[in-house]
Every structure is written in structure tokens, then in C-alpha cells.
Amino acid sequence: MIEAFFNIEIMKAAWPIVLTGLWNTILLSLIVVPLGLLGGLILALLASIKNPLVRWPLMAWVDFFRAFPPLVLLVLLFAGLPFAGLELGGFACVAIAFFLNTGSYYGEIFRAGIDSVPVGQVEAARSTGLTRMQAMRYVVLPQAVRNVMPDLLSNTLEVVKLTSLGSVVAVPELLYEARQAQSITYNPTPIVMAAVIYFLLLWPLVRLLSRLENRALAGRR
Amino acid sequence: MSGWDKFVETFFNAKVMWKYLPDILSGMVVTIELALLIVVTGLGAGLALALLRSLAIRPLNWLIIFVVDLFRSLPPLVIIVLMYFGLPYAGPAPSGFVSTWLSLAFVLMAFSEEIFWAGITSIPKGQWEASRSTGLSFGQTLFNVVLPQAFRLTIPPLTNRTIAITKGTALGTVVAVTEILGQASSAMSNSYNPSPLMMGAAAYIVLFLPVVVAARWIETKFAWKR
Amino acid sequence: MATNHIVDARAIHKHFGTLHVLKGVDLKVDERELVFIIGPSGSGKSTLLRCLNRLEEPSSGSIVVDGIDMLDAKTDINHARRRIGMVFQSFNLYPHMTALGNVTLALRKVAGKGRAEAEALGRVALERVGLADRAEHTPGQLSGGQQQRVAIARSIALEPRVMLFDEPTSALDPELVGSVLEVMRGLRESGMTMIVVSHEMGFARNAADRVVFMDDGLIVEQGPPAAIFENPTHERTRAFIGQIQRH
């Protein structure tokens, strides 16, 4: 058992490979999280224009990507687009797929946050002469973000976990490198290493979240 | 041939689509089976853990919290890969279908336990006291007074989470499950044409979009008003 | 333990961590008696009340209610509690059930009545608190005063031998207090044994048989309302009464 899953020799041999994967996962997260946040913010700001002609297509867009498995989106970009003469490479595909998918999730969260700020806040801000954008920027958004902080963090956790999909399109992140190491060594230890690394990396965030979520649900009453 | 015709010919090739339609449909059946299994077992196990946790047995609760944290921290794909490629080294060799089912059920269990538990703890102490003061037992109070209120509170987060995790059935394709994406991918490489992939994408939309729209409706309906 | 009191609590102590909330309280209540407990906040009066039906576990002492030893491990506490009604400051109605559902839950689950019988009894109880026409309303559709009367109906439907009231009117708007006190007065006239923690001094004066003044975890003095309100013997009682009456 130990021999198979926690083989010290193999750990030593696989460590440099797995470490490369870890750095790439961190790097990938640092790119796709801000990208998703940006996409979400754009969607939410557009949705705050209370015009049904804007709001309904946006809702459809968001629901479409919430219904669409991210892996399918990724495969579509990676394996489908070359038939149209567009070869983007794994990394670019991951970035675009995440922008569309996680952007929709972040968008819903930001929208809920903006909706949670009482209208009186905007009225007060506008009454002091702030423009609509200024009211949004200085009064509404800061409160909105604070109100939905647990959801934002929770989605960010999901996004970081989702970067493991990169392994399917040969992006050399943690899971991909671990599987490479596994196929070289004929031993599952590298995958166990990857799992342990994911756990150590994300456990603090999970702990924090479970505290915040408990409080948030209790506060809804 | 104009550019548009060429595009349609490539991505929506009628002949290819017709040929591989049965494959995609059988993939849909597998996806639905997998999804239902995950939902039933995942939510059932999550509720069971939350009820166990309400008994407030210290060491047991630590164990529950650890298991929940573990499955919330690990990417589902990592769990699937570990189960499918790793577990055989220790003896049992679950199929791709079973690996995907169990992995995602564990993940849903973890998330739903958190949500159920938060729902249970959010019910004010006074509800317990009122019920116990009329002679209802702990279990009767839990099932008649606390859980009905907790469920109402947990339905919106629970539906959203369930959808997100059930969509993960597509990950099964990595471990050779013949669900929609798996069927579509192999059809694509057999036909050298992306039309099956477009069909697969459409199949996901057909399956999941109604659920997402329903979830949006549920969210407004169950918004807590007092 | 032979006793001719319906409630017989002796030497009750209660600690919350390092806090000593009840410091040896004795309380005996006769059948059909209305005992009013007053005292400054933090004096332990609510805790005493909650010990009587063991919502709070006393640290030591003995409690016998209607011949049942409440602290005996062999006592079926759920069965005993059915005979001790409790009304809370915050009503604690079940928000997911109608008024009738609130009243019939324990009738069905604890008293083992069938649905039809439980509902018949429930309607009688709602009738007694003047809310027969509100049976199908949920708590959210009722005023605070109506909610508290439903809560009282929830207790009396179980035909309790004693009723405990924990500041039943403190969470109500002033104009709604009267309707709840009216129901309590009706209960008293029907011969219900009642122990009431409340600041409604007017009600205490003309309805109570006995007023108990508690301070700092102890009963300082007790007697008929007239005696306690007009001629308190203890300095602390005098100070408290004076303070109340200035309001």
C-alpha cells in the first residue's frame, strides 16, 4: 500500500516534475481568476442597466454558460476550432473557456451583490451630485463586493480547482505533470502527491469559506 | 463553395450528424444515468452526514468536517483520476463509470453536507425550545420543526451546487466513460469532422439549460420572506 | 417524595461556566395558584423558569412537578414536558406551519392523537384565545399579539397542569399587550396554575396570588401583591419597586 501510493523513491524522482506543475497551476490561476472577475464585472455592470433589451440577452448568455460543462467548452475550442482553421493552443483555449464559463458565474454573483445594495444608497449618492458611474464605483460596488464576498471566494476556489481541466488539453499544470510522472514511473504516487498539494493549497480557503457560509445563511433569516 | 457553406459543411455536416446521432443519444442516456446516480447518492449521503453531525459527537464531527473539507479542496478530476488510475494498484479496479459516479457523489456529498448543516444551525434556538417544551423529542423536533425550515433555506444554494457538480459528468470522458462528450470525441476522430462535437454540445444544452432555468425560478420562489 | 404542591423546587443551583446564576432557590406552587416572579434583569428569574421544565439543566437541587421527579434520569422528559406549558418572549411559532399546524404538532406527535382529533382540539384551543378565524394563517400573517396567543393555544391544547410564561408581553407593541393579558386572565379564571415572569406590574397587582421578588440568583422576599408592592420589607425590593413605579 505504502509502496504503491507513498513511495519515497518515486516522490524524490517525481518532485521536480510535480513542482513545475504546481507553479504552472499557480500561474494559470493568477491569469484566469482576474480574467473571470473582469468578465463577471462587465456582465454585472451591463445587467445593472435595467433595460429588458439588455437584461434578457445577458441572462440567456449567463444561463447558457452555466448549463455548459466547462470541459465541453474547452474541447470545443481546442478540437473544434482547428477545423475552422483556427489553432489556438491549449493555454489560450483554457483562458477563453474560463473567461466565458467562470465569467458567467462571477457575473451572477456580482449581479446579486449589486441588487443587494438598497436603492437609497444610489439615491443618496446621486443627490450629492455623483454621476451614475461614480455612484456605482464608489458607493454601490464596494458594498456589493462585501455582501457577496463568501460567494466570490467560493467561486474562486472552484476556478482554481477547475484549472486541472488544463491537463486534458496538454497544459502542463499540476495534474498534467503528475500524470506524466505516473506514466513514466508506472506508479500512482505522483497523483497522490498532486492531490496532497491541492489539498494543502486549498484547505485554508475551504476552512475560511465554511465559516463565512455558515454566517451568511444564518444572516438570511 | 462560399465561406458560409463551407462552415456549415464542416461544423453541421448533415451526413455525419445523421450517422453519429445514435452514438450521441446513447451518450445522453449514460450522462442522465450518471447524473441521477450522483444526485441521489450525493445528496442522500450529504443529508445523512449533516444529521449525524447534529448529534454533536465530538470525534465523529471532526471526522465529518475533515472528509467534507477534503472533498471540497480536491478538484473533481483529480479524484476521478486517482480512483481510476490509482486505486487498481491497491486492488479494486473501478470502471470509469463507477469512478466518475463515486468521485462526483463524494464531492456533492461534501458540498451538500455543508449546506444542510448551515441550514440546520441557522434555525433559531427558540424553535428547538418551543418544540421540546411541548414534549417533542430531539428527533421529532429535527424532522418536524427544524428540517422543514432548513430545507427551504438550503434549496437555492443546493440546486446551484448540484447543477455545477452534475455537469462534471463530462469529466468521465477522461476515464473512458461513453457519456456525451466521450461519444462526441470519438465520433469526431473517426469522422475527421467536428459536427459530432457540435451535436454533443447541443445535447448538453438540451439536458442542462432547462435545469438552469428552473433553478433560477426556484431561487426567486424560495427567497425567504417573513 | 410526598408533596401537596403541584410545583416543588428545592435548593436549585445553576452555573453557567463561572457564572453562578441560581444560588439555591426554593419555589413551591399550589394548584390553581398564579405566581408572579419579578426582579431586575440578570436576577435569574428566566433561568429558574427554564429549569422547571428542564430546558436548562440545573446544576443541583430537586424539582417535582405534578408528582413527577423532573431530574430523575428514568423520567420520560418528553412526556413530562407535555404537562408543563411554556410561553416564550419571542413566541417561537413555527414559521412554516399554519396557526392550526403549530397547535396540533405536539398533539399528534406527543399525545398520539389522529389528525382529525388533533385538529378538533386545536380549533378549540384557538377558540379559547379568540383566534378561531385565524387557524389557516401562517405566523407571518399574524400580528405579534396574535402570534403570542397562538403560542398560548399551542400550550393549552395539551391540557397542561402548569403553565410557565417567560416575559410573554415584552416583545409586543404596547397596544397589543392587552389582548395577551386578557387571554392570561381568562386562563387564570379557568383555574390554571401559572408561573409568570413579567414586568406587567398592573397585571401582577390585580391577578397574582403571590409575588416573588428575585435578585442576584436568590428569592429575596415573597407574599401577596399588596404586601410586596405597598410594604416591601427588604431594601432591594423597595428599590426595585420604586424604580418600576417611576416609569
Side-chain angles (χ1 to χ4, degrees):
Chain A
M1 194 79 171
I2 303 250
E3 189 74 352
F5 293 101
F6 302 95
N7 190 312
I8 301 285
E9 285 310 307
I10 290 185
M11 276 189 196
K12 275 187 198 148
W15 180 244
I17 305 177
V18 171
L19 195 64
T20 314
L22 171 61
W23 286 125
N24 284 336
T25 286
I26 292 173
L27 199 67
L28 194 57
S29 302
L30 287 179
I31 292 166
V32 294
V33 169
L35 214 54
L37 282 169
L38 181 70
L41 199 56
I42 294 170
L43 285 175
L45 288 178
L46 285 174
S48 74
I49 303 168
K50 304 264 184 245
N51 182 335
L53 280 178
V54 180
R55 206 164 178 149
W56 283 103
L58 273 177
M59 227 183 224
W61 171 276
V62 167
D63 281 356
F64 181 83
F65 286 108
R66 287 209 304 177
F68 218 68
L71 181 59
V72 179
L73 192 57
L74 188 57
V75 171
L76 210 57
L77 294 172
F78 186 73
L81 278 185
F83 285 94
L86 207 58
E87 230 160 306
L88 290 175
F91 188 84
C93 288
V94 169
I96 296 172
F98 273 57
F99 180 72
L100 295 174
N101 174 269
T102 66
S104 296
Y105 278 91
Y106 278 126
E108 271 298 282
I109 296 169
F110 279 128
R111 189 185 61 81
I114 291 172
D115 284 352
S116 76
V117 178
V119 190
Q121 291 292 312
V122 178
E123 289 170 351
R126 297 300 298 274
S127 77
T128 62
L130 268 66
T131 66
R132 181 200 280 273
M133 282 320 283
Q134 284 172 323
M136 182 58 87
R137 162 85 181 73
Y138 296 107
V139 179
V140 177
L141 273 184
Q143 299 183 56
V145 169
R146 206 189 49 206
N147 289 352
V148 293
M149 198 39 118
D151 290 333
L152 284 175
L153 284 177
S154 154
N155 199 48
T156 303
L157 169 71
E158 293 308 305
V159 175
V160 175
K161 282 156 63 179
L162 218 52
T163 57
S164 61
L165 295 192
S167 65
V168 178
V169 293
V171 172
E173 48 69 71
L174 184 51
L175 179 59
Y176 180 85
E177 295 291 356
R179 290 191 63 186
Q180 291 294 103
Q182 178 217 9
S183 59
I184 297 167
T185 57
Y186 296 105
N187 184 293
T189 300
I191 300 182
V192 174
M193 285 168 77
V196 170
I197 291 174
Y198 275 117
F199 181 62
L200 293 180
L201 198 64
L202 298 176
W203 197 19
L205 187 53
V206 169
R207 273 289 84 230
L208 173 71
L209 268 172
S210 109
R211 270 155 202 261
L212 289 175
E213 280 162 3
N214 269 310
R215 212 178 301 155
L217 205 57
R220 281 179 60 169
R221 292 186 54 105
Chain B
M1 224 167 19
S2 74
W4 174 250
D5 287 339
K6 190 156 180 280
F7 175 79
V8 171
E9 182 71 21
T10 310
F11 284 91
F12 300 94
N13 187 307
K15 233 169 67 198
V16 174
M17 283 174 122
W18 184 246
K19 185 175 173 199
Y20 289 102
L21 183 63
D23 289 4
I24 301 292
L25 288 179
S26 85
M28 279 176 91
V29 172
V30 174
T31 295
I32 293 171
E33 281 172 1
L34 203 46
L36 289 180
L37 271 176
I38 291 164
V39 170
V40 170
T41 51
L43 291 181
L47 180 59
L49 282 191
L51 293 180
L52 269 181
R53 195 169 167 187
S54 74
L55 297 178
I57 305 164
R58 272 274 176 88
L60 185 64
N61 281 8
W62 287 332
L63 187 67
I64 292 173
I65 292 170
F66 177 77
V67 169
V68 165
D69 282 4
L70 182 67
F71 284 109
R72 283 185 71 175
S73 310
L74 292 180
L77 186 55
V78 172
I79 306 172
I80 294 173
V81 166
L82 202 56
M83 209 176 259
Y84 185 76
F85 295 105
L87 218 49
Y89 290 88
S95 68
F97 185 90
V98 171
S99 303
T100 309
W101 163 36
L102 289 182
S103 301
L104 294 180
F106 279 132
V107 174
L108 183 55
M109 171 190 81
F111 277 98
S112 63
E113 191 280 338
E114 266 308 281
I115 296 172
F116 283 131
W117 175 247
I120 291 172
T121 50
S122 72
I123 303 304
K125 211 165 143 252
Q127 292 289 312
W128 284 96
E129 292 182 344
S131 175
R132 296 306 302 273
S133 79
T134 59
L136 270 73
S137 66
F138 176 86
Q140 285 174 322
T141 302
L142 187 61
F143 283 102
N144 292 289
V145 175
V146 175
L147 280 184
Q149 297 182 53
F151 276 141
R152 203 191 160 86
L153 225 53
T154 54
I155 278 173
L158 213 50
T159 30
N160 283 332
R161 191 57 76 179
T162 304
I163 293 170
I165 292 168
T166 325
K167 277 179 358 187
T169 49
L171 300 178
T173 188
V174 176
V175 291
V177 179
T178 54
E179 48 68 66
I180 300 172
L181 183 60
Q183 292 283 14
S185 301
S186 59
M188 180 171 68
S189 40
N190 289 337
S191 63
Y192 303 106
N193 182 287
S195 298
L197 201 53
M198 302 307 287
M199 275 164 82
Y204 279 108
I205 291 300
V206 168
L207 284 187
F208 284 105
L209 192 58
V211 188
V212 169
V213 173
R216 201 184 265 288
W217 177 78
I218 285 171
E219 205 160 321
T220 34
K221 182 156 188 289
F222 280 81
W224 192 261
K225 26 187 184 305
R226 284 175 72 102
Chain C
M1 202 183 310
T3 169
N4 35 22
H5 303 285
I6 189 160
V7 173
D8 188 345
R10 297 183 191 194
I12 304 297
H13 284 263
K14 176 66 186 174
H15 300 264
F16 287 115
T18 57
L19 217 62
H20 199 174
V21 182
L22 295 177
K23 301 175 177 171
V25 175
D26 294 286
L27 183 70
K28 294 178 179 58
V29 179
D30 285 328
E31 214 161 319
R32 305 173 77 88
E33 193 181 14
L34 195 163
V35 174
F36 219 89
I37 305 178
I38 61 172
S41 63
S43 59
K45 40 193 206 307
S46 281
T47 306
L48 174 61
L49 210 59
R50 294 157 60 85
C51 281
L52 295 180
N53 67 350
R54 253 179 78 191
L55 277 185
E56 266 348 315
E57 204 69 44
S59 308
S60 66
S62 79
I63 298 172
V64 177
V65 179
D66 197 21
I68 298 171
D69 183 350
M70 297 295 289
L71 302 183
D72 186 344
K74 290 194 290 290
T75 299
D76 178 351
I77 190 67
N78 297 324
H79 198 264
R81 277 178 179 156
R82 197 189 129 193
R83 294 297 187 188
I84 308 172
M86 185 159 206
V87 175
F88 300 85
Q89 177 177 357
S90 50
F91 328 141
N92 295 346
L93 288 185
Y94 314 133
H96 61 302
M97 294 178 181
T98 62
L100 189 60
N102 269 276
V103 177
T104 54
L105 181 65
L107 280 172
R108 294 196 289 124
K109 301 292 174 184
V110 187
K113 311 266 189 224
R115 181 177 287 273
E117 191 189 353
E119 289 191 351
L121 291 170
R123 285 185 197 279
V124 172
L126 285 172
E127 176 90 59
R128 279 183 72 184
V129 298
L131 290 172
D133 57 332
R134 295 287 190 274
E136 313 303 334
H137 291 231
T138 58
Q141 299 166 319
L142 299 173
S143 74
Q146 290 171 331
Q147 288 190 52
Q148 192 59 299
R149 281 146 66 198
V150 172
I152 293 173
R154 175 168 68 184
S155 288
I156 61 176
L158 294 162
E159 297 178 358
R161 301 278 289 130
V162 190
M163 282 192 69
L164 313 175
F165 290 83
D166 190 2
E167 309 211 13
T169 56
S170 301
L172 295 175
D173 292 334
E175 72 272 19
L176 301 176
V177 169
S179 66
V180 171
L181 293 182
E182 198 50 50
V183 168
M184 289 171 69
R185 195 164 283 129
L187 273 179
R188 155 143 197 67
E189 277 155 18
S190 73
M192 179 68 73
T193 309
M194 296 160 72
I195 306 176
V196 181
V197 169
S198 170
H199 298 294
E200 296 294 335
M201 296 304 157
F203 183 72
R205 225 181 264 268
N206 58 42
D209 296 303
R210 175 159 48 119
V211 173
V212 173
F213 174 69
M214 281 183 72
D215 193 15
D216 198 22
L218 283 168
I219 291 179
V220 177
E221 69 175 297
Q222 49 185 314
I228 297 291
F229 288 121
E230 316 307 339
N231 292 309
T233 47
H234 284 260
E235 181 48 43
R236 277 189 287 175
T237 319
R238 210 165 319 168
F240 179 74
I241 303 278
Q243 217 169 23
I244 291 283
Q245 277 165 348
R246 236 171 289 134
H247 286 291

